[in-house]
Amino acid sequence: MNVHEELLVGGEWRKPASKARISVVCPSTEETIGQVPDAGAEDVDVAVRAARSAFDQGAWRAMNVSERVEVLERALQLLGSRIDEIGTLVTAQMGLPTSIAGIQIPSALETGRFFLRVAQDDSVSEVRQTQMCAAAVVKEPVGVVASIAPWNGPFNMAISKIIPALVTGCSVVYKPAPETPLDAFFIAEALTGAGLPAGVFNLITGDRETGAALVDHPGIDKVSFTGSTAAGREIGRQCGGSFKRLQLELGGKSAAIVLEDADIATTMAGLAMGCFFNTGQVCAAYSRVLLPASRYDEFTAALVATAESFVVGDPFDPATTMGPLVSARQRDRVLSYIDTGKDEGAVIATGGGSPAGLDKGFYVQPTVFTGAQNSMRICREEIFGPVASVLRYETLDEAIAIANDSDYGLHGAVFTTDPQRAVEAARRVHTGTFSVNAFVYNAEAPFGGVKNSGIGRDTGPEAVQAYYELKTINLDAPTAALFN
């Protein structure tokens, strides 16, 4: 069992003041596999003060980018030597099949290296000649960052939050989700082993109260949060009062528009990923599938067959293609939404309950609703499980109107063999991210949403830029020469 009694604070592993503990439960066996501290406000204060001191004293921020890159590359190499251990732990924590974890962990490390290249290739100062005078525009680290990660992709989300913040010179207090905190200890060990100065990275574990104390702390300059829209809204209120910088990647209710000319094999490959990847626990999931009336029955039958093709079971079995949901609470939430869909008049074409023969674990069958209307709760609210709702449309204009009739705007897709109509749909659907004939999470391009799906972008070069603050220095002629 993975038992951690200490937190990384100020470069040292310290026992927290809080005596409370969080048990980590394996969603496939329902057994406790680990325990971590449930840090209290006092522990949060100590961690933020350590990060504040490390930032203000400037040892890390005073380094040039190349020096910081060297340290962080060493950390990524250390993590790379433990890929199998990390993947096994991620599978045990959240039920991600090992066949997927074995790809996702190395991919996350490559994303980290992408961020390092972006930072190294970027210029942190630029002299502009204005009508008034020369002006140096300088990028400075934003300060102390509170990074709060979700449970649905613990390791890759940690890399996407931690590496961009550190490479720009910020200090970080990182809090993983209480359901999946264990892999964060690998990251903490790698960063300290790589020679990161004390206090630049601090790891605390805890539940919602821990996160709230972290967000509210006056020593925090920026909050980066990925999670539910409800939690993001509350964090926005907290940050607004003190003008903390804010980055939010929140929920989604994305629509996949299938046009009449779509290739059925290409479409089903995209919907298999878009609707059901990670047991549907993906904010960018295609949870609304919009089918043309002229081919509604054909595409519906194909989607049902696609859902039924998943092998649901033990995530440690290489044959498994869909594991459990992360927790009993999440399973019950998804099953509750399925009941809601039935009550609202939608029809279950496949799935709709727990799989037979799996007596242990938080499993839900891949589920397809037909006869759905966009006014139904199953089409308005994020379910975060393997549930897709099929909606019928007559014209492209109607499909786009349905896609845009949502409080969310994170992702979306169109499936068609007509490039011109693909571009039209991509431009007209109001989202922060969009895919054509596929389900794509592209870490080298900006990913994020509009409307209730968040603020800012968590990937691409923009993820690095998000941790800089701009300073303008108006120069006279002698000082201008120093910036050339």
Side-chain angles (χ1 to χ4, degrees):
M1 191 156 89
N2 291 271
V3 177
H4 297 277
E5 300 287 348
E6 299 173 320
L7 303 172
L8 182 64
V9 176
E12 299 178 357
W13 290 100
R14 305 180 184 181
K15 285 195 174 183
S18 170
K19 303 302 181 186
R21 295 291 181 267
I22 292 173
S23 293
V24 182
V25 176
C26 175
S28 60
T29 66
E30 303 186 36
E31 296 174 355
T32 298
I33 59 169
Q35 193 176 79
V36 297
D38 187 0
E42 181 180 345
D43 303 310
V44 169
D45 181 62
V46 173
V48 175
R49 288 179 182 276
R52 184 84 260 164
S53 176
F55 183 78
D56 292 342
Q57 290 173 6
W60 180 249
R61 65 187 287 203
M63 293 182 182
N64 61 45
V65 172
S66 294
E67 291 172 318
R68 293 197 289 265
V69 166
E70 186 176 342
V71 174
L72 296 174
E73 175 56 37
R74 282 201 299 271
L76 293 175
Q77 289 175 2
L78 289 171
L79 290 167
S81 69
R82 306 183 75 177
I83 285 174
D84 290 343
E85 292 176 80
I86 297 168
T88 298
L89 194 56
V90 168
T91 296
Q93 287 183 119
M94 64 160 294
L96 184 71
T98 53
S99 57
I100 301 172
I103 299 170
Q104 190 178 89
I105 307 306
S107 176
L109 296 177
E110 285 308 306
T111 297
R113 292 189 172 94
F114 167 78
F115 292 137
L116 298 186
R117 292 194 298 271
V118 167
Q120 194 146 30
D121 292 344
D122 188 29
S123 175
V124 295
S125 67
E126 172 194 357
V127 176
R128 302 176 187 175
Q129 189 61 49
T130 72
Q131 292 185 9
M132 296 289 295
C133 62
V137 179
V138 180
K139 297 174 183 176
E140 296 184 341
V142 72
V144 177
V145 178
S147 291
I148 303 174
W151 46 257
N152 63 318
F155 185 79
N156 56 316
M157 290 304 306
I159 294 297
S160 292
K161 288 187 176 297
I162 293 166
I163 297 299
L166 291 181
V167 76
T168 57
C170 296
S171 293
V172 172
V173 181
Y174 178 71
K175 191 194 88 67
E179 294 87 352
T180 56
L182 300 176
D183 59 289
F185 288 85
F186 283 103
I187 296 173
E189 291 168 5
L191 289 169
T192 55
L196 189 73
V200 173
F201 176 81
N202 305 271
L203 171 64
I204 61 170
T205 54
D207 213 328
R208 294 181 181 181
E209 292 76 11
T210 311
L214 181 58
V215 169
D216 205 40
H217 198 288
I220 295 295
D221 298 302
K222 174 171 179 170
V223 174
S224 173
F225 171 80
T226 299
S228 73
T229 294
R233 186 175 288 113
E234 182 57 33
I235 289 170
R237 291 193 189 100
Q238 286 181 272
C239 291
S242 55
F243 298 101
K244 288 183 174 78
R245 299 317 189 237
L246 188 60
Q247 196 163 321
L248 300 173
E249 199 270 279
L250 307 175
K253 198 67 188 176
S254 301
I257 302 173
V258 181
L259 300 190
E260 298 93 332
D261 65 346
D263 175 72
I264 199 160
T266 300
T267 301
M268 290 308 124
L271 294 182
M273 286 288 291
C275 299
F276 303 115
F277 176 72
N278 202 22
T279 320
Q281 299 169 122
V282 177
C283 53
Y286 301 153
S287 52
R288 294 181 295 155
V289 179
L290 278 53
L291 299 181
S294 61
R295 296 183 69 186
Y296 181 87
D297 292 341
E298 177 188 4
F299 277 118
T300 297
L303 182 59
V304 167
T306 297
E308 292 175 348
S309 72
F310 280 89
V311 179
V312 182
D314 178 6
F316 288 99
D317 185 340
T320 295
T321 56
M322 181 179 290
L325 292 160
V326 74
S327 65
R329 180 175 64 181
Q330 187 62 21
R331 176 201 56 196
D332 294 345
R333 169 187 167 87
V334 172
L335 291 175
S336 175
Y337 268 108
I338 291 173
D339 288 340
T340 296
K342 291 187 289 186
D343 292 343
E344 289 180 315
V347 177
I348 293 177
T350 190
S354 299
L358 293 172
D359 299 328
K360 289 279 190 178
F362 311 129
Y363 294 95
V364 172
Q365 295 169 310
T367 300
V368 175
F369 273 111
T370 59
Q373 301 296 321
N374 206 45
S375 58
M376 294 178 176
R377 284 183 61 198
I378 57 170
C379 296
R380 308 299 302 179
E381 301 175 15
E382 186 175 46
I383 298 173
F384 223 62
V387 181
S389 298
V390 176
L391 298 94
R392 184 193 303 261
Y393 74 87
E394 296 288 345
T395 66
L396 179 58
D397 285 346
E398 182 187 3
I400 290 171
I402 293 171
N404 286 335
D405 181 17
S406 175
D407 295 332
Y408 297 101
L410 185 57
H411 195 201
V414 64
F415 291 87
T416 178
T417 55
D418 185 337
Q420 187 169 350
R421 297 180 82 198
V423 171
E424 179 186 357
R427 292 187 181 278
R428 291 178 64 189
V429 175
H430 186 38
T431 61
T433 318
F434 198 84
S435 297
V436 175
N437 289 323
F439 175 83
V440 180
Y441 178 77
N442 184 355
E444 296 188 15
F447 175 80
V450 298
K451 299 190 279 189
N452 286 358
S453 289
I455 299 170
R457 297 296 181 264
D458 273 358
T459 54
E462 291 76 8
V464 176
Q465 301 303 321
Y467 291 95
Y468 283 126
E469 199 75 73
L470 297 180
K471 175 189 282 185
T472 296
I473 305 173
N474 295 307
L475 306 166
D476 61 11
T479 54
L482 297 177
F483 284 89
N484 292 328

